[in-house]
Amino acid sequence: MKNSVSVDDLAVFLMVLREGGFRAAARRLGVAPSKISTTITRVEAQLGVPMLRRTTRSLHATDAGQQLADRIAPLLSELDAACVEAANLGGEVKGRLKLNVPGAVVPDILPPLLAEYRTRHPSVEVEIIVESDLIDIVAAGCDAGIRYGSLLEQDMVSIPIGPRKQQLALAASPAYLQAHGVPRKPEELTAHDAIRYRLPGGPLLPWDLQSGKRSVRVEPVNRLVLSVAALDTGRSYARNGIGIIYAFRNWLDEDMATGALVPILRDWWPTQEGPHLYYPSRSAPAPLRAFIDVCRSGAVTR
């Protein structure tokens, strides 16, 4: 190594990787793209090995660059947390809270929590990353994640947020039911058009129904398949008569109340455990501790 690399330069290097390019990193940091380019050139010169592989259309870390990023990301996160802790000794919580969440909590569970959080801590910047896979939140540079019923790593703490239980519901538009008939038992759903959701690169979310101790999985006709990233958009397609939707009841309540959607097979609507916030068991930075307090306060519990 010709010279030691500054912490600021390493932070710029990480930002370039996280944002996927020089221009995006420059926008995030509020500097000119040329300054980002100069910084990366300096890092590579000081380390004596290329950190990034660049083309006109993409940017990726080299093996050396990825290894460096994996090592320094948690260290710089700890450094940022220490600085924020020092700044927060004055009483006001400052800094940034970065959460990795599934699309399912974005429409209704997360907004009131963040509204309450902003009321209590207006100086904190909040960043939301939406994805459904269980990820290494530390390596991703996130303070915490939110997931449904996922197995978490041993060094993670988990607390429930929002509703402790959520009910799933079936519904369709009046026009659809007039044209295709109303299913009276789960088995009849196999002849009906459905709006389904698919996990990233994986299977369709199952239609598992339950009545008392009896449970059944049905396979309807897949008329429209949406990514789970577009979970809340399914209601619009259902209102337009494309098919029957199977989703969280609280998403559909308003449409069912107005008659835009008609509930189907109410006696078969199952319930599942609500979402959980998870985060590393080591000391949490002040912005995360403040968010945990909001979640635990019951400010948004259904």
Side-chain angles (χ1 to χ4, degrees), residues 238-299:
R239 287 195 296 264
N240 281 278
I242 290 180
I244 297 174
I245 188 172
Y246 180 61
F248 286 126
R249 194 212 70 219
N250 48 297
W251 292 2
L252 308 178
D253 276 340
E254 182 177 350
D255 286 327
M256 291 191 293
T258 62
L261 292 177
V262 178
I264 298 170
L265 296 171
R266 280 185 182 273
D267 292 341
W268 286 89
W269 293 359
T271 58
Q272 69 174 46
E273 189 175 4
H276 282 68
L277 178 78
Y278 70 100
Y279 52 92
S281 58
R282 53 181 168 74
S283 179
L288 175 56
R289 289 205 310 270
F291 185 66
I292 293 169
D293 289 341
V294 169
C295 294
R296 284 176 167 163
S297 70

Side-chain angles (χ1 to χ4, degrees), residues 136-207:
D136 184 340
I137 56 174
V138 175
C142 297
D143 299 297
I146 297 175
R147 289 296 184 272
Y148 283 88
S150 298
L151 294 175
L152 306 180
E153 298 178 23
Q154 292 183 352
D155 63 343
M156 292 290 168
V157 177
S158 172
I159 64 169
I161 68 167
R164 299 301 180 259
K165 295 289 183 179
Q166 282 187 275
Q167 189 174 39
L168 290 152
L170 288 158
S173 71
Y176 174 86
L177 295 175
Q178 184 176 1
H180 299 273
V182 180
R184 302 298 180 184
K185 52 186 179 181
E187 292 76 11
E188 293 180 9
L189 291 170
T190 60
H192 278 269
D193 296 341
I195 299 169
R196 302 287 300 273
Y197 295 104
R198 188 184 299 279
L199 292 167
L204 293 169
L205 289 177
W207 280 26

Side-chain angles (χ1 to χ4, degrees), residues 6-16 18 29 72 76:
S6 74
V7 171
D8 288 343
D9 285 358
L10 291 175
V12 169
F13 167 66
L14 278 183
M15 184 63 69
V16 169
R18 289 173 182 169
L29 295 172
I72 66 174
L76 292 185

Side-chain angles (χ1 to χ4, degrees), residues 84-101:
V84 170
E85 291 287 336
N88 288 333
L89 290 177
E92 182 182 11
V93 179
K94 299 179 181 179
R96 184 176 71 158
L97 175 67
K98 188 173 182 180
L99 301 175
N100 189 288
V101 309

Side-chain angles (χ1 to χ4, degrees), residues 22-63:
F22 287 10
R23 291 187 178 277
R27 285 194 299 269
R28 186 72 177 79
L29 295 172
V31 300
S34 59
K35 185 172 182 180
I36 301 295
S37 179
T38 299
T39 299
I40 297 303
T41 298
R42 181 167 58 246
V43 170
E44 292 178 328
Q46 290 173 333
L47 295 179
V49 62
M51 293 288 103
L52 299 173
R53 186 179 298 110
R54 286 157 276 188
T55 69
T56 56
R57 294 186 177 182
S58 64
L59 178 147
H60 302 283
T62 62
D63 290 343

